[in-house]
Amino acid sequence: MFLPYRCQASNILLLGQEGRYSIYVHASREKPVHTSSLFAGRDIHSDAVVWGLISMVDAEKRLLANALEDVDNQFFVLLSDSCVPLHSFDYVYNYLMGTNASFIDCFKDPGPHGTGRYSMEMFPEIDERDFRKGAQWFAVTRRHALMILVDNLYYKKFKLYCKPAEGRNCIADEHYLPTLFNMVDPGGISNWSVTHVDWSEGKWHPRSYSAADVTYDLLKNITAIDENIHVTSDDNKLVMQKPCLWNGLKRPCYLFARKFNPEALDNLLKLFTSYTSV
């Protein structure tokens, strides 16, 4: 079951799979124009979303609230307009539905872009030692989706004390879910996201792929990754590398990847059947 903002290459992944997924779109415009019929009529009531602010988390909660109304929805995946699938629908479906774990990126970063963003005003509900970091692109079970929706205690602390450009430059969507689940159910999450993002350029935003970047080798290399890597933001730049364990077995980490620019779509569609796994 998928919760995209607007996901490129969705037609190839979803066509013919009706009844096995639901789509909910949180659009930035009041009346968005969709290039795929799969997204028509799937818009939910949305609100303004600003990068770095708690409104990013609010959008995620709004999506989950709508998706949870359907009792058949058992797994919830957050995607963006720049995401692409890396595998066939059956592969993705079986990967997610075949485990009780949620895929939430979570690690302890002692540097300025990790623990350095913690505010003492979050104490005692959130201790500095419990503060975590991770990508926002989650894939969660129904049980965990409900936990996200009902939480107000920890959410309120992030709403009040995690904001960009306030000395600590705290980015709410990078810390709220990792911290929440590190505190309430650390054994129930994978500690990595099933959506691949390349941060190797060391910038505020991850690498974007143009049409020229999209090659068979690029996509095969991403799908072959079976270890997740986190790098701390302090002077030590400690690299933490762990295997991606699915039900205790080492498996490829990623089901999706981003950020692919719109002009890359044609090349992606040409290569899709060649690199996706069944």
Side-chain angles (χ1 to χ4, degrees):
M1 158 5 209
F2 305 89
L3 278 76
Y5 287 95
R6 303 172 303 278
C7 184
Q8 295 188 44
S10 60
N11 279 4
I12 284 184
L13 182 70
L14 300 178
L15 283 178
Q17 304 297 337
E18 291 76 6
R20 302 178 71 191
Y21 66 89
S22 301
I23 292 176
Y24 301 84
V25 180
H26 192 291
S28 57
R29 290 179 291 177
E30 185 175 345
K31 293 183 178 180
V33 177
H34 299 300
T35 57
S36 170
S37 61
L38 295 175
F39 295 86
R42 304 308 303 168
D43 305 299
I44 67 170
H45 172 70
S46 59
D47 206 345
V49 176
V50 180
W51 179 84
L53 296 182
I54 197 67
S55 58
M56 296 284 285
V57 176
D58 293 338
E60 296 169 6
K61 285 182 172 255
R62 202 172 290 116
L63 282 163
L64 288 172
N66 281 267
L68 281 164
E69 291 181 358
D70 187 340
V71 296
D72 289 332
N73 291 334
Q74 296 298 312
F75 222 102
F76 306 79
V77 182
L78 181 72
L79 300 171
S80 78
D81 59 333
S82 64
C83 291
V84 298
L86 295 172
H87 299 276
S88 68
F89 182 92
D90 283 337
Y91 183 101
V92 172
Y93 186 89
N94 292 333
Y95 194 108
L96 296 176
M97 298 300 290
T99 181
N100 291 322
S102 287
F103 298 93
I104 295 177
D105 194 25
C106 176
F107 74 106
K108 186 174 181 61
D109 177 4
H113 301 313
T115 307
R117 294 172 172 175
Y118 172 79
S119 169
M120 285 301 298
E121 292 168 301
M122 292 183 173
F123 188 83
E125 289 84 358
I126 303 172
D127 194 293
E128 182 177 0
R129 64 184 179 184
D130 296 317
F131 195 73
R132 293 292 186 271
K133 181 180 181 179
Q136 75 176 115
W137 309 107
F138 61 74
V140 298
T141 63
R142 186 175 183 88
R143 180 173 69 90
H144 283 159
L146 286 166
M147 291 170 63
I148 294 169
L149 201 60
V150 301
D151 171 57
N152 188 56
L153 178 65
Y154 304 112
Y155 166 82
K156 186 176 181 179
K157 289 292 183 176
F158 276 89
K159 182 176 183 178
L160 291 173
Y161 305 117
C162 184
K163 302 175 183 179
E166 288 194 356
R168 290 174 298 275
N169 208 26
C170 188
I171 310 300
D173 59 272
E174 292 184 4
H175 298 283
Y176 170 61
L177 289 187
T179 301
L180 172 65
F181 282 95
N182 175 61
M183 296 180 68
V184 301
D185 190 12
I189 63 173
S190 66
N191 297 313
W192 88 86
S193 168
V194 287
T195 297
H196 177 268
V197 184
D198 184 353
W199 288 98
S200 62
E201 294 178 339
K203 301 178 180 178
W204 276 101
H205 297 284
R207 176 186 177 185
S208 293
Y209 297 103
S210 66
D213 295 321
V214 178
T215 64
Y216 177 86
D217 287 340
L218 169 70
L219 300 172
K220 287 299 292 184
N221 287 340
I222 295 175
T223 58
I225 296 172
D226 58 7
E227 293 188 339
N228 65 91
I229 298 176
H230 293 115
V231 182
T232 62
S233 61
D234 56 3
D235 292 337
N236 293 326
K237 299 297 180 184
L238 178 64
V239 178
M240 295 170 283
Q241 191 165 337
K242 296 182 179 179
C244 292
L245 299 179
W246 182 89
N247 292 346
L249 302 174
K250 192 173 184 179
R251 293 283 299 274
C253 303
Y254 303 114
L255 304 178
F256 309 95
R258 68 186 301 267
K259 301 174 60 171
F260 288 86
N261 295 330
E263 66 268 19
L265 184 58
D266 286 343
N267 284 3
L268 285 164
L269 294 176
K270 292 175 183 177
L271 290 171
F272 187 84
T273 56
S274 299
Y275 74 83
T276 51
S277 301
V278 179

